[in-house]
Each structure stands twice: as C-alpha cells, then as structure tokens.
Amino acid sequence: MKRRIATWENGHSTPDEFYGALICEALDIAPAELGLSAAADGQDSRLLETRYPPTPEEAFLTVSQLWRADLHGYEPLLLSEASQHAWSEASLRWLVAPDPSFPSTVRTDGARVGLADVAMIKTTSDMFAEMDDRFGGAHARQSVVQYLSQDVAPLLTGQYTEAVGRALFSTVAESTLLAGWMSYDACHHGLAQRYFLQALRLAQDGDDRRLAGSILSAMSHQATFLGNYTEAATLARAARMGISGVATPTLMAQFHAMEARALARTGDIRACEQALSEATKALESRNSSDEPEWITYFDEAELAAEAAHCFRDVNSARRAVAHAENAMSGSHVRSDFFATMVLADAHLRAGDPEEACRVALDALDLGEQLKSARCVSYLAEFRQHLAERGETAVVRSFHEQAAEHRLWLATGKLAGP
C-alpha cells in the first residue's frame, strides 16, 4: 500500500477506481482532481447499497466492486449490518421478475468465454466449498474472493453466446452464493447479504430458478440467525412459491425446514411441526438422479439437525435430543459441530448438565480445525446457559478442559466466564 501511495505522489500513475473513491471521500475532493472519471464518485454508495440489481449489467458492476472492496478489506463493508428491507425487496423483485433478458452491453473486445471456462469456475468453486465445509468460512474466504475478483470478473464482460452466458451467470451465481455463505459464517452479515443479493440476480439472469430458490433459502437461514424471524419465514415461502414448477423434493424439504426454523423462533409450535412434517414427506419422495448436485448434501441427517434446532428453540428438550442424536453425518464437519452443540444445549435444558458438558467437549474436539464465528456464537450461547447453572464441580471440570480449545477461548469475548 505504501508503494502505491508513493507512486501516486510521484505522479507516475493515478489511483484506480477503488482506491480513488476512498481517497476522494477521505480528502473531500472531486474525482477529477485525481484524474479519475466521475464513476469513481458513486462507488462507495453503490458498495453500501443493499438493493436488488435492476439489470444484469448493474449486477456485473456491483458484484465485481464488492469482490474488489472485500479483497482490499474495506471496513465500512465488512462491518455493515444486514438490512430487513433488502430481504423483502429481493424476494418480491425476484418473484415478479419477467423472463430474463440477455445483457445488451456485453463488450466485443473482452475475453472469449466458452463452456470450458464455465467448467473451470465450477470445479474451482467446488474445491473451495469443500474447504469451507471442513475448515469453516473464515479459512479460505479471502482466497475465494481473490479468485472471483481476478479470474471470474473479467469473464462476465467478455464475449460469449447466449447459451454460454446463461451457464456462466448460473455458475458465477453459485460461486457468489458460496462467498455469501463464507462471509455469513465469518459473521460479516451486511457483506454476506450483499453477496446473496447479487447471486440471486445472477441466478435470475442465468434462468436458474432452482438455484435462485436455494439462495432465498440461504437468506432465510441468515435472517433467522440474526433474529429476523418473520422475514426468514417469508423468504422460505418465497423460495417454495417461486420454484414450484421446477422444484425437486430435496429443495422443497430444505425450504420447509427453513420455514420451520423461523417459526420455532416465533413460538408457533403447531406451524413449526407442520413445516417439519412437510419437509419429511418431501425428502422421502426424492429421486437423487433428478437433484442438482449442490443440494444433495441435504439428507436425513441434515433434516434431523434442523428439527433438533426447532425443538430446542420451542423448549422441547427431549425431542431435540432425539433428533440431534440422528443428525451426525460423519462427513460434514461444521454441520456435525452445530448438531453436536444443539445436542449439548438440549441436554442442558433437559436438566442433565453432566451429559451436556461431555457432549460439548466432543463438539470442541470436532471443531478444533474450524475457523467460524458462527461456531463461536453457538459456544457462547452454551457458555451463557451453563453459567446459569452455577459453579458446580461438573462445570468447573468442563471449564478446565474447554480452556484447552481455541474456539472456547474465543467465546470469552462474547460471554462472561
């Protein structure tokens, strides 16, 4: 960074669009005074907006700037909060959107893009998704963003046929969804929401309604985590309604499960149980050969984990324990960590602190390699509930053993001892 500033000061170059916008803001000067185009003047406001992009071209520009700002650690973006209004607007705009129109301003001098390029993006993103699952969203998040910013962004404004373009938009939407999930897992919530919004628009332009529904489901998941339960239930219903003609049983099961998670938090036990029942019926009718490969992870163990969350949240501890015990996949580290912590919390609520502490130690062993702020938040919640039990011998012993784990130490910033 110091080298860049020295180069600008010596007059050998001018700041680029990203840094130029920040310098203009800091010095309260116009872009022209730095030799920049007026476009730089609006970059900061565009980055911090949470609106659904009105056109494909706007999505290309916005998502590219998001990737770049994220890569450069732009704090107003990294520290931003999610917007309730953006969730509502996005689901409505997507539901009533006309048939996708192919971008009219694709450059004729850009890189030539073919299906081989699309396949390369898909394979690379799959590799990052596997690392996310094993090590948490904070592990390789910057590497994902760097790949998207440097290798993928130029392809969006390249030369391609409509068929290749649709495949490109859908694949980049999936990759951007991954960046959103990883940012959410790192608790960069405003940034994650912005990635989800851009992914939804790209999925729309790729005419991939199944993926778009899954993106709304991800938004619902985040909304529940942040305490916006009404919005979360609405997003899950919008996902179900919006892809009803092309939905697969597994997707429908996931959407019902997300709705159930939100309803549990509102205390509507009857509606929650109905949504879980619909999810179970849908999953039982699935045909794996007809499912998108990115949703095949959602199986009986995943649904059991969602049910465990629900019954824990409606204070049905015994039912939560029963479902959590069936939620261990053995192949998805972070999901198994969450399920194990729900099991520990359910045992605690059922009045069995000794078993709760034993299970929580299992979760800490399981999560030793995870870099995930969401995992820390689960532990912090358990720590708070455990503190309410008082300083017993069981609790003291647990604290001594837990203190050897990095994730537990991180909870000290979020909860008392």
Side-chain angles (χ1 to χ4, degrees):
M1 182 63 191
K2 290 181 180 179
R3 190 176 302 162
R4 279 198 184 98
I5 294 173
T7 303
W8 301 333
E9 290 178 339
N10 292 332
H12 297 307
S13 67
T14 57
D16 62 17
E17 183 179 303
F18 175 77
Y19 283 110
L22 301 186
I23 293 172
C24 289
E25 179 185 10
L27 300 180
D28 193 24
I29 59 178
E33 295 181 60
L34 288 177
L36 301 171
S37 69
D41 194 33
Q43 174 177 263
D44 184 69
S45 60
R46 183 184 293 112
L47 286 172
L48 297 180
E49 286 179 347
T50 52
R51 68 190 183 108
Y52 189 64
T55 65
E57 294 84 358
E58 183 76 12
F60 298 165
L61 177 62
T62 302
V63 77
S64 296
Q65 290 182 341
L66 280 173
W67 292 332
R68 197 141 183 263
D70 187 3
L71 189 60
H72 287 297
Y74 184 42
E75 282 196 355
L77 183 62
L78 294 174
L79 300 178
S80 62
E81 301 293 336
S83 160
Q84 289 183 336
H85 173 73
W87 284 317
S88 301
E89 182 200 24
S91 59
L92 179 60
R93 290 282 299 276
W94 176 73
L95 279 171
V96 301
D99 292 336
S101 59
F102 195 66
S104 58
T105 59
V106 175
R107 290 185 292 184
T108 58
D109 59 346
R112 291 187 178 275
V113 184
L115 290 177
D117 298 291
V118 176
M120 183 170 55
I121 297 170
K122 172 64 176 170
T123 300
T124 305
S125 296
D126 287 347
M127 177 193 69
F128 282 126
E130 183 178 349
M131 287 194 287
D132 170 52
D133 183 48
R134 291 182 60 190
F135 304 119
H139 170 66
R141 200 184 72 82
Q142 284 286 290
S143 298
V144 172
V145 175
Q146 183 174 28
Y147 172 69
L148 291 170
S149 179
Q150 296 185 359
D151 292 79
V152 174
L155 302 182
L156 288 172
T157 51
Q159 301 180 62
Y160 39 76
T161 64
E162 181 168 349
V164 170
R166 299 289 187 209
L168 176 66
F169 305 155
S170 177
T171 302
V172 177
E174 189 178 342
S175 301
T176 305
L177 172 60
L178 173 62
W181 272 114
M182 296 177 84
S183 300
Y184 166 28
D185 198 48
C187 287
H188 296 308
H189 289 298
L191 174 62
Q193 185 186 51
R194 287 164 177 79
Y195 281 144
F196 290 149
L197 290 172
Q198 306 310 315
L200 184 62
R201 175 71 219 204
L202 288 166
Q204 176 188 328
D205 296 320
D207 200 19
D208 192 339
R209 297 195 70 79
R210 289 177 174 179
L211 179 59
S214 190
I215 294 165
L216 286 175
S217 181
M219 291 182 178
S220 174
H221 197 291
Q222 184 192 28
T224 294
F225 183 83
L226 293 176
N228 297 280
Y229 310 128
T230 300
E231 290 80 5
T234 299
L235 285 162
R237 291 166 185 151
R240 195 170 70 245
M241 181 187 307
I243 72 165
S244 58
V246 295
T248 66
T250 304
L251 282 168
M252 293 300 280
Q254 185 191 58
F255 302 159
H256 281 298
M258 289 302 99
E259 183 180 5
R261 285 280 296 271
L263 292 169
R265 286 289 192 171
T266 68
D268 192 338
I269 299 176
R270 181 176 179 181
C272 171
E273 290 181 337
Q274 179 62 35
L276 285 175
S277 175
E278 293 296 331
T280 300
K281 286 192 291 187
L283 200 60
E284 288 173 348
S285 66
R286 74 185 184 280
N287 178 0
S288 297
S289 63
D290 189 40
E291 301 285 351
E293 58 86 20
W294 41 260
I295 195 60
T296 54
Y297 79 93
F298 195 88
D299 55 13
E300 287 82 2
E302 284 289 326
L303 181 55
E306 302 299 347
H309 278 84
C310 291
F311 289 119
R312 179 202 62 176
D313 293 340
V314 299
N315 293 315
S316 183
R318 295 299 179 190
R319 295 176 77 181
V321 167
H323 284 282
E325 287 176 340
N326 293 322
M328 309 305 165
S329 68
S331 57
H332 300 293
V333 177
R334 186 177 46 204
S335 294
D336 286 352
F337 173 89
F338 288 140
T340 306
M341 282 310 306
V342 170
L343 178 59
D345 201 38
H347 278 302
L348 194 60
R349 297 185 187 206
D352 191 351
E354 184 172 358
E355 183 65 8
C357 288
R358 185 195 67 77
V359 173
L361 287 172
D362 288 343
L364 285 169
D365 288 336
L366 182 66
E368 194 62 27
Q369 63 186 355
L370 290 169
K371 295 178 67 177
S372 164
R374 276 199 299 147
C375 290
V376 173
S377 73
Y378 271 61
L379 285 166
E381 185 177 13
F382 178 78
R383 183 171 184 161
Q384 179 182 352
H385 294 161
L386 191 62
E388 295 167 0
R389 297 283 169 169
E391 191 67 12
T392 66
V394 168
V395 172
R396 283 195 299 273
S397 175
F398 170 77
H399 275 290
E400 290 173 1
Q401 296 177 75
E404 300 175 0
H405 296 271
R406 174 180 50 81
L407 285 176
W408 184 258
L409 293 176
T411 66
K413 301 176 183 178
L414 303 178

